[in-house]
Amino acid sequence: MSQQIPNGQTKTDPAWHKRKWSDIQVSGNWLATQTSNKTTDFVTQGNTPGNVGICFSGGGSIAMIAALGQMRALNDMGVLGQARAISTVSGGSWAVVPFTYLPDHIDDATFLGPFVEDPSTLTVSTLDYAPSGYLGTTVTLDGIKWDNMAYSAGKLFVNPYFPNNRIWNYQIAKNILEPSGLSSTHFDGLMTPVIETAWFAYNQADAAYIKAQNPGLPDTVHTYQQSEGRIKRPFHLCNTAAFITPNTNPQTGDMLAPVQCTAIATGIFAEDLGTVETTATDLQQVGGGLVSSYCFDTQLTSSAKSSISAKLPLNNDNQVSAFSLADITANSSAFFATAIQGMDGIDPKYNYWSAADVAEEKPGVAARFADGGGIEDNGIANLLAFDDIDQVLSFSNALQSVYRDPDNSDNSWNIVVDMWLPTLFGYTPYQHTGNKAGLSIGYHQYANLTEAQLQGQGIRYFRHNQIFDSALFQPFLQQLWASMDNYTRPAVYFNDAIEVMENTWFDIKPRTIKWLLIHYGPNKTFEATLKPDVRAKLDSYTTHFSNVRKQHPKLYPPTPLDNQFPNMVLFATHMEAPLMNLFAHSTSYATNTERERIQTMFK
């Protein structure tokens, strides 16, 4: 039964936030950061032609459905299962976590839905497609409506038996993973929600071995879908971040350290970044390697060389629990937890102990985690921490299309793109007129900003993101703009030999890679191909959401593309089936325009 708040305490009392630990010990490994880190240090995948890593960005439900359409097209090309790794953030994780761990009872064709090469064959009736087991159906369910999630979170916020820092995890378990059979939730005798106790592993053989060594782990374990005849699942990196106090320039405020969650291990590759942001007096250095994922969020009790022992936590129903798919998916998309107004403290928190300090056997401290997009929303930097990724195919689905800022007459620099892409070149996100940072309009190199300019501004979290030469940024903008041909084609950037710079924040080693980027945005050719009644349906959605934007100008600042599909929808977590399927078909169509180049990458 759920733990009740002790007499005389409230849910904001520090004593209530103290974790309860079981007597169950688990043993695992910590993987110290190496001179060279490779995916093959984690898993054996067989042939991965081209050693391609695929990235699906964040962006909530829209990024989830965009990734659905993109995976569908990649599967039709025959390359989805040939990737060496898939790196995801936030909404991209909402799509790829279910795909990676999909249970046997849902077949791949049902989950991905039909690939449609010619949009003119779409009909209003075929767009009303939302069967059980289809990933797209998830965003059509009532539970994922933003108002419903906020209402549910509010009830849990005042529930004396449910910990605040598990509220977002419950929303993800219930609304994102449960429809695909990857979580279950129930109510205990006090009518308080309980998330299924479960953990995850790479394959069934690994899971059986780990369980035999650690019988106290929960009985439910989710593994990669590896049944015969199914699409091969690439190695998956689910990206999140941890708030830290940096070792350098701590006066500028907290920073975010990149955290990778995989079926094998979870943690921070980079070293000497800082200490966990915590009220504890025993500061905990972050980084230095990863620990077995089922040992993450545990209380360290002993260590010897690369082996560790730790205690598992208890959940709110006093059951032994472990780090789960609900945890990695919630952490990766924790932006939404902070977006629920009036509910401070519902962002995820975990007991963190560092591989860097493992020899000291510190039990760990409560650490606050953040959306992976809080630091790098495209998943590219974390992917390149693995030295055996030779090519990157990335999809920027974070709701921002490419356009020229009408307030800026400098056509060399007034091209606005996804806000995280400039940071990869050492530039700030585009600063519009009247920006909160107080900077002049346009882009600014981080190297030229003073600490005072960075103080208190959200842009400081991106200051360590640079992995490409700044001199390449303007050609990058120009190529994206030219590739669209007045929005008749998707915005695409391709560089068959781009130099990657060393980056100690993400533990990236310098090398040369091939990079193909497909950027979210309007496509007049796709729309012009639609049947008249399908186009009318699309136009009705465009009109509706454009009116919503006008009613909330502070939430949705105006842009030149407000009244165009797909830009009219921003913060919608729920979509009707026809709109959801139009999104998926449009991103499939955009991906398919690069079919020849993509297939060449996998040779």
Side-chain angles (χ1 to χ4, degrees):
M1 182 174 289
S2 295
Q3 176 190 8
Q4 188 171 12
I5 299 176
N7 291 334
Q9 294 183 14
T10 68
K11 287 186 76 172
T12 58
D13 193 302
W16 171 240
H17 289 294
K18 188 174 181 179
R19 296 290 295 276
K20 290 183 65 179
W21 300 99
S22 72
D23 293 326
I24 302 298
Q25 293 271 353
V26 289
S27 60
N29 302 306
W30 67 272
L31 291 75
T33 301
Q34 306 293 320
T35 304
S36 174
N37 297 300
K38 301 179 184 299
T39 62
T40 51
D41 297 335
F42 290 72
V43 296
T44 301
Q45 300 191 82
N47 187 33
T48 56
N51 294 335
V52 181
I54 303 173
C55 299
F56 295 108
S57 81
S61 292
I62 291 176
M64 175 188 184
I65 299 306
L68 168 62
Q70 289 149 356
M71 286 193 294
R72 184 187 294 168
L74 294 176
N75 183 52
D76 186 75
M77 297 177 200
V79 302
L80 179 59
Q82 295 183 347
R84 198 166 188 84
I86 297 181
S87 178
T88 65
V89 180
S90 198
S93 299
W94 291 5
V96 177
V97 169
F99 168 72
T100 301
Y101 297 87
L102 193 65
D104 282 341
H105 72 272
I106 302 176
D107 64 81
D108 293 335
T110 299
F111 180 80
L112 292 175
F115 172 74
V116 176
E117 184 175 7
D118 181 2
S120 69
T121 63
L122 295 172
T123 66
V124 172
S125 61
T126 59
L127 288 173
D128 198 19
Y129 175 82
S132 176
Y134 175 41
L135 177 63
T137 302
T138 303
V139 302
T140 70
L141 303 176
D142 285 345
I144 204 171
K145 290 180 178 178
W146 182 248
D147 288 348
N148 289 346
M149 285 200 292
Y151 176 75
S152 171
K155 290 180 65 177
L156 293 177
F157 192 72
V158 298
N159 186 319
Y161 306 105
F162 197 87
N164 286 351
N165 59 15
R166 301 292 292 170
I167 289 176
W168 182 241
N169 302 58
Y170 172 75
Q171 302 300 328
I172 292 297
K174 180 70 176 175
N175 298 306
I176 300 296
L177 299 180
E178 200 168 279
S180 296
L182 293 174
S183 185
S184 67
T185 56
H186 66 274
F187 289 88
D188 67 6
L190 296 172
M191 294 306 294
T192 296
V194 177
I195 304 171
E196 168 196 52
T197 57
W199 53 290
F200 58 104
Y202 180 59
N203 57 33
Q204 293 181 4
D206 284 359
Y209 176 80
I210 293 168
K211 178 68 173 176
Q213 302 297 311
N214 301 281
L217 281 168
D219 291 333
T220 301
V221 58
H222 300 289
T223 61
Y224 276 38
Q225 170 53 252
Q226 294 183 325
S227 296
E228 186 176 354
R230 306 294 290 263
I231 302 168
K232 180 186 166 201
R233 267 52 175 182
F235 183 57
H236 178 219
L237 320 175
C238 187
N239 299 303
T240 178
F243 284 96
I244 66 168
T245 300
N247 288 337
T248 57
N249 302 315
Q251 72 277 5
T252 61
D254 60 12
M255 289 293 294
L256 289 170
V259 180
Q260 298 193 7
C261 306
T262 79
I264 305 299
T266 293
I268 301 168
F269 270 134
E271 299 180 273
D272 196 30
L273 299 185
T275 55
V276 171
E277 185 191 50
T278 179
T279 56
T281 56
D282 185 15
L283 296 181
Q284 179 76 67
Q285 286 288 327
V286 303
L290 287 66
V291 300
S292 299
S293 289
Y294 61 90
C295 291
F296 197 77
D297 189 37
T298 57
Q299 189 176 64
L300 182 65
T301 55
S302 65
S303 65
K305 295 184 179 180
S306 62
S307 300
I308 59 95
S309 294
K311 287 183 178 181
L312 290 172
L314 296 171
N315 67 4
N316 61 298
D317 201 32
N318 286 316
Q319 299 172 319
V320 175
S321 62
F323 199 55
S324 69
L325 294 180
D327 292 316
I328 67 172
T329 314
N331 292 353
S332 187
S333 58
F335 161 79
F336 290 90
T338 61
I340 302 177
Q341 297 182 356
M343 299 184 201
D344 293 339
I346 74 169
D347 41 336
K349 294 181 180 66
Y350 294 93
N351 199 63
Y352 180 84
W353 44 269
S354 170
D357 282 345
V358 72
E360 299 182 30
E361 298 182 358
K362 295 181 179 180
V365 295
R368 186 162 62 103
F369 281 70
D371 192 302
I375 181 171
E376 203 279 281
D377 194 57
N378 285 280
I380 297 171
N382 269 333
L383 175 69
L384 290 176
F386 291 92
D387 304 327
D388 55 345
I389 299 298
D390 299 327
Q391 303 183 81
V392 174
L393 170 59
S394 64
F395 296 92
S396 291
N397 300 322
L399 318 182
Q400 172 65 67
S401 296
V402 179
Y403 68 92
R404 288 193 184 275
D405 180 8
D407 294 334
N408 187 345
S409 60
D410 185 353
N411 284 341
S412 297
W413 289 100
N414 66 359
I415 300 169
V416 182
V417 298
D418 168 271
M419 64 179 287
W420 288 271
L421 290 173
T423 70
L424 299 178
F425 296 86
Y427 281 86
T428 66
Y430 191 88
Q431 302 299 299
H432 292 272
T433 301
N435 63 82
K436 295 180 180 179
L439 297 171
S440 59
I441 193 171
Y443 297 105
H444 299 265
Q445 281 189 268
Y446 276 98
N448 297 332
L449 296 180
T450 66
E451 292 297 331
Q453 288 174 314
L454 288 168
Q455 179 65 31
Q457 300 166 9
I459 60 174
R460 76 169 183 268
Y461 293 129
F462 315 136
R463 66 187 298 184
H464 299 299
N465 286 10
Q466 184 172 6
I467 56 176
F468 302 127
D469 191 330
S470 295
L472 298 175
F473 183 50
Q474 189 180 70
F476 170 83
L477 294 175
Q478 296 297 327
Q479 187 184 139
L480 275 176
W481 180 259
S483 69
M484 295 189 299
D485 193 17
N486 193 29
Y487 296 107
T488 59
R489 293 180 56 83
V492 172
Y493 175 78
F494 179 70
N495 191 321
D496 64 358
I498 188 169
E499 297 291 330
V500 177
M501 302 168 58
E502 180 179 21
N503 183 305
T504 57
W505 198 263
F506 287 87
D507 198 46
I508 295 172
K509 313 300 188 300
R511 62 189 187 276
T512 302
I513 65 165
K514 184 180 292 185
W515 181 25
L516 173 60
L517 162 72
I518 300 178
H519 198 297
Y520 173 93
N523 190 319
K524 293 179 181 178
T525 305
F526 172 81
E527 294 183 44
T529 309
L530 299 174
K531 294 180 185 297
D533 57 342
V534 174
R535 180 61 187 267
K537 187 73 172 178
L538 176 59
D539 289 345
S540 70
Y541 286 123
T542 302
T543 300
H544 168 73
F545 283 103
S546 296
N547 290 335
V548 171
R549 290 184 64 122
K550 292 175 184 177
Q551 295 168 14
H552 302 280
K554 291 184 178 180
L555 183 60
Y556 303 125
T559 74
L561 302 175
D562 285 355
N563 298 321
Q564 295 185 37
F565 174 80
N567 292 74
M568 73 290 181
V569 183
L570 283 181
F571 204 59
T573 51
H574 174 273
M575 287 183 258
E576 293 181 356
L579 178 60
M580 172 271 293
N581 283 310
L582 280 166
F583 266 101
H585 287 304
S586 69
T587 58
S588 279
Y589 183 82
T591 303
N592 199 47
T593 62
E594 292 296 312
R595 190 180 192 96
E596 182 177 351
R597 189 144 48 187
I598 290 172
Q599 288 180 323
T600 300
M601 293 176 72
F602 286 85
K603 293 181 178 179

